[in-house]
Amino acid sequence: MNTKKILFVSYTAVLGGGELCLLDFAQAYRDSSEVLLLTDGALKNRLEDLEVKVKVLQASRSLADVKVSSGLASLKSIGDLWRLGKQIAQKSKDFDLIHANNQKGFVVSAIARLFGGAPVVWHLHDILTADIFSPTNRRIAVTLANWFATRVIVNSQATGEAFIAAGGKRQLLRTVYNGFSGEKFDCIDDRQTTLREELGIPRDRNLIGMFSRLSYWKGQHILLEAASTLPDVHVLLVGDALFGEAEYTEKLKNIAAQESLQGRVHWLGFRQDIPQLMKACDAIAHCSTAPEPFGRVIVEAQLAKRPAIATIGGGTNEIIENRITGLLIPPNDPRLLAEAMREVFSNRDFTSQMVETAYGQAKTKFSIPSVCMAFEMAIAGI
Ligand code: UDP
Ligand code: GLC
């Protein structure tokens, strides 16, 4: 039984990959721990469903306007950070450690430490590279980590290497992968036909799914471009624009409206029944245009026994061994993606061998018990 008393702090409460990852660790420590959310949202209900103690300590509007990507903060938001930091310091006196699950959560936790709060573990889910984070943001994040974090948990070795390259101390790092319950996939019938019937997809057509928030760097446009060259393929887009990005959604709708794709792109928005939906597909695409810190959807595809076609880089390389447990292709290349799709749909023996090997790996390497053990070791001695 896990007995460490952890105050989990999360700024955001939308259900992105980092928050879904938090659900598993918060559940594992629920008897002795609590989650503090700095905004309200769907994560709160999911935590309550799991009987995790959760509280919302509402951050103010000015804090919401601080851009993580640019590191810009107004004086008012600095005041808010200070106020929250003090509150968290006070609250953390009843806990062994603070676990900060995102960057803003980490900044207020670091301030809490300054005010005498419990030791801080930053769970870093992002690759701190110039693609997504400004130099100022990276400098602030890494300096705060070097000064105030007792440990930095990273979701892949790639995330850890980027942290070090940005100036972070190597000795702070511990790698803990995301964990998954294989049972959630195993209990679903392998042939899910209802959705395809509802969407009017003929039996002899292949369906490729993408399960990501709508965001430019997730690369839905690459999948649509690839599919436009394969007239027998239908595309299932599952996910919503979780962090703004309405413009990108608009751009995608325009691409999907072109004649070569008409009637072949199916939009489902944000869904919670991922195992069922994955099992309705013939393959799953991951198209990130920048290195993916971890890539939960790839492991989920493996557990659903569907071939994953993913872009090389970041954590993806730690999940897929090319042609053994999935296909790896360079990012931003619709032509190679179309070729990979053609291969998995036509070479059935190769594909079924690959999905079985991938399933076996995913069940062990990314099981909830194994990642919880890694988590326990990562916080040992604090
Ligand atoms: N997901 C979901 N509903 C959706 C789309 C995605 O629950 O409509 C889940 C998906 O199954 C995965 C997570 O969101 O577990 C996305 O995590 P990932 O690491 O792939 O990417 P992130 O969005 O965190 O960068
Ligand atoms: C972040 C990353 C994603 C990772 C998830 C869980 O959202 O973008 O790659 O899988 O966190 O660690």
Side-chain angles (χ1 to χ4, degrees), residues 55-68:
K55 207 181 208 158
V56 181
L57 196 67
Q58 201 84 43
S60 78
R61 270 290 336 137
S62 65
L63 202 51
D65 293 338
V66 177
K67 280 254 173 301
V68 160

Side-chain angles (χ1 to χ4, degrees), residues 71-273:
L72 291 178
S74 66
L75 276 179
K76 181 162 185 330
S77 61
I78 290 172
D80 286 333
L81 287 171
W82 226 244
R83 176 183 59 81
L84 278 171
K86 263 189 182 167
Q87 280 176 281
I88 293 171
Q90 187 57 33
K91 183 151 182 71
S92 73
K93 295 220 154 74
D94 299 328
F95 295 86
D96 297 318
L97 63 106
I98 299 174
H99 171 280
N101 200 53
N102 30 51
Q103 294 215 29
K104 284 186 194 171
F106 171 58
V107 173
V108 287
S109 302
I111 295 170
R113 184 72 177 141
L114 196 64
F115 283 116
V120 179
V121 175
W122 182 19
H123 200 143
L124 175 57
H125 294 277
D126 300 311
I127 289 195
L128 296 175
T129 55
D131 291 337
I132 298 179
F133 297 95
S134 73
T136 320
N137 175 274
R138 279 180 288 156
R139 210 169 310 120
I140 294 173
V142 163
T143 307
L144 284 179
N146 288 345
W147 284 357
F148 296 109
T150 302
R151 303 274 152 79
V152 177
I153 293 179
V154 282
N155 57 1
S156 66
Q157 289 167 23
T159 298
E161 289 309 321
F163 174 78
I164 292 164
K169 289 186 191 157
R170 186 180 286 276
Q171 65 268 32
L172 292 174
L173 290 182
R174 302 289 184 277
T175 303
V176 179
Y177 290 129
N178 280 222
F180 301 83
S181 147
E183 291 67 42
K184 285 189 184 154
F185 291 82
D186 295 343
C187 68
I188 311 280
D189 270 356
D190 198 52
R191 277 281 129 216
Q192 292 287 309
T193 51
T194 322
L195 176 81
R196 296 172 73 116
E197 283 159 14
E198 279 169 14
L199 297 174
I201 302 171
R203 274 168 190 267
D204 60 346
R205 297 292 193 266
N206 285 304
L207 178 63
I208 185 148
M210 188 161 166
F211 296 74
S212 298
R213 57 196 151 95
L214 305 178
S215 170
Y216 183 84
W217 78 274
K218 288 294 182 184
Q220 280 86 356
H221 58 288
I222 308 287
L223 176 59
L224 293 184
E225 280 170 44
S228 71
T229 65
L230 302 173
D232 288 343
V233 172
H234 281 242
V235 176
L236 189 69
L237 291 180
V238 183
D240 204 352
L242 290 186
F243 304 105
E245 317 220 36
E247 243 173 68
Y248 182 61
T249 311
E250 212 38 54
K251 175 187 157 120
L252 286 177
K253 297 261 175 191
N254 287 336
I255 303 178
Q258 71 193 34
E259 213 183 312
S260 58
L261 280 170
Q262 252 171 34
R264 297 200 283 125
V265 182
H266 309 277
W267 304 77
L268 296 191
F270 186 86
R271 297 280 292 248
Q272 307 235 22
D273 51 346

